[in-house]
Amino acid sequence: MSAGDSAAVSAVEGKLSELSTSCDLRTLPRRGKPASARTLNTAQIPLVASHPEVYEPCDDSFALVDALLSDKAQLLTLQPSLCMEVGCGSGYVITSLAIMLRQLGSGTQYLATDINPHAVYTTQATLEAHGIHADVIATDIVSGLEKRLAGMVDVVVVNPPYVPTPEEEIGMKGIASSWAGGLNGRQVIDRILPAVRELLSEKGCLYMIALEDNDPLGICHLMNEKGFASRVLLKRCTEEESLYVLKFWHDATVSTNASQSGKSPGSESSWLSPFKSFWHKSGNSS
């Protein structure tokens, strides 16, 4: 570690003592990768704030950040002016994204939203612990921001509530809001997608986690019909679930292909071909 990095870490550690005790900053279990492989590229787990009513970084959070890391060169080429996380939870993902893109300097701004006020405070604490500034807003998805941000957001990251649950669990307060997805885990996702589409700039892209039960291919088809190309960046199988990280971006040609998929026998393959090859490769889970 360079002298500059050591000084930066010391400054971050000094800030920890200033954070409110209502956010517990503690070490969480890490995955198989050594700490040195992630320290300078993502949010440091020991510096991620936590609260009993806020979802902590877990397999899905790590999968999303790993997918962003795999696409880092594209993100840097994009040179985003505004990056946003919908449903920020602990702040691990938005903080990791900001760390990945820090070489772009002050030209990139960050925004995060969450319906859970405890998550807003926790994300702010995580950002502060890493020396990163972002606006964090308590709101339902992007409510109240639609007109102001329409067509302005270059990168959106979402780890949505995707767990299939009874419909009555949707909208519950606290930590339940981070996982309760309703029927097929799609009821909140199906509200997020149209909201995000309105915010994305012409060069904008969306990175989103989906569970196999959510029908990721169906989500891709839905976005294709709205003029967005799709790609599976990562598939990760855990003991409990199969997770997919999906990427979407504007492409006017795909909407024509998707709309004609039911009209000609072979037309569906034109928009599904990248996904069929991915789904049938057994070696793509990591």
Side-chain angles (χ1 to χ4, degrees):
M1 182 179 289
S2 68
D5 288 332
S6 298
V9 170
S10 297
V12 165
E13 290 175 343
K15 288 188 176 184
L16 294 179
S17 62
E18 302 173 5
L19 296 174
S20 169
T21 56
S22 65
C23 277
D24 175 27
L25 291 150
R26 62 191 181 190
T27 302
L28 301 177
R30 299 183 67 88
R31 290 170 294 169
K33 294 184 179 181
S36 60
R38 302 183 70 86
T39 300
L40 299 179
N41 292 312
T42 67
Q44 299 176 56
I45 290 296
L47 304 186
V48 175
S50 67
H51 184 281
E53 288 297 326
V54 174
Y55 186 72
E56 295 183 344
C58 199
D59 290 325
D60 48 5
S61 316
F62 300 139
L64 181 53
V65 168
D66 285 345
L68 292 170
L69 277 170
S70 74
D71 213 36
K72 181 179 177 180
Q74 294 294 326
L75 286 165
L76 291 172
T77 300
L78 184 66
Q79 294 189 314
S81 297
L82 179 58
C83 299
M84 180 178 189
E85 180 174 15
V86 176
C88 52
S90 68
Y92 172 76
V93 175
I94 190 68
T95 302
S96 295
L97 177 62
I99 290 171
M100 289 179 216
L101 301 182
R102 60 187 164 189
Q103 67 191 76
L104 297 177
S106 59
T108 304
Q109 297 181 315
Y110 299 92
L111 173 66
T113 69
D114 203 293
I115 196 171
N116 182 355
H118 298 298
V120 170
Y121 186 87
T122 303
T123 290
Q124 196 64 66
T126 297
L127 289 160
E128 183 177 345
H130 290 82
I132 295 167
H133 172 75
D135 294 311
V136 189
I137 300 171
T139 189
D140 182 14
I141 305 178
V142 296
S143 180
L145 303 173
E146 302 95 329
K147 292 183 179 180
R148 194 185 338 170
L149 297 180
M152 294 182 60
V153 185
D154 297 319
V155 176
V156 178
V157 293
V158 187
N159 183 2
Y162 56 67
V163 178
T165 63
E167 185 176 353
E168 56 268 23
E169 291 188 18
I170 296 177
M172 293 180 65
K173 296 184 182 300
I175 196 169
S177 64
S178 67
W179 68 64
L183 182 64
N184 299 322
R186 283 285 298 272
Q187 288 183 248
V188 181
I189 289 174
D190 288 343
R191 291 180 55 222
I192 290 173
L193 292 175
V196 169
R197 287 197 300 263
E198 294 301 313
L199 300 191
L200 285 174
S201 67
E202 282 301 312
K203 68 176 183 178
C205 51
L206 163 65
Y207 298 84
M208 189 183 79
I209 284 276
L211 188 68
E212 190 157 354
D213 289 346
N214 304 147
D215 184 16
L217 279 175
I219 293 173
C220 292
H221 193 182
L222 176 65
M223 291 293 282
N224 291 158
E225 290 179 333
K226 302 298 182 180
F228 286 82
S230 315
R231 180 186 170 198
V232 180
L233 285 182
L234 180 149
K235 177 184 178 182
R236 178 159 294 159
C237 296
T238 70
E239 293 181 0
E240 299 180 351
E241 57 195 10
S242 294
L243 298 167
Y244 298 86
V245 180
L246 309 176
K247 178 182 179 181
F248 304 98
W249 65 96
H250 285 284
D251 185 340
T253 63
V254 300
S255 59
T256 302
N257 293 333
S259 64
Q260 294 177 348
S261 63
K263 299 178 182 179
S264 58
S267 58
E268 184 180 17
S269 63
S270 62
W271 70 269
L272 265 183
S273 53
F275 305 99
K276 286 182 176 178
S277 61
F278 185 95
W279 251 262
H280 288 90
K281 288 180 182 177
S282 59
N284 274 313
S285 58
S286 52

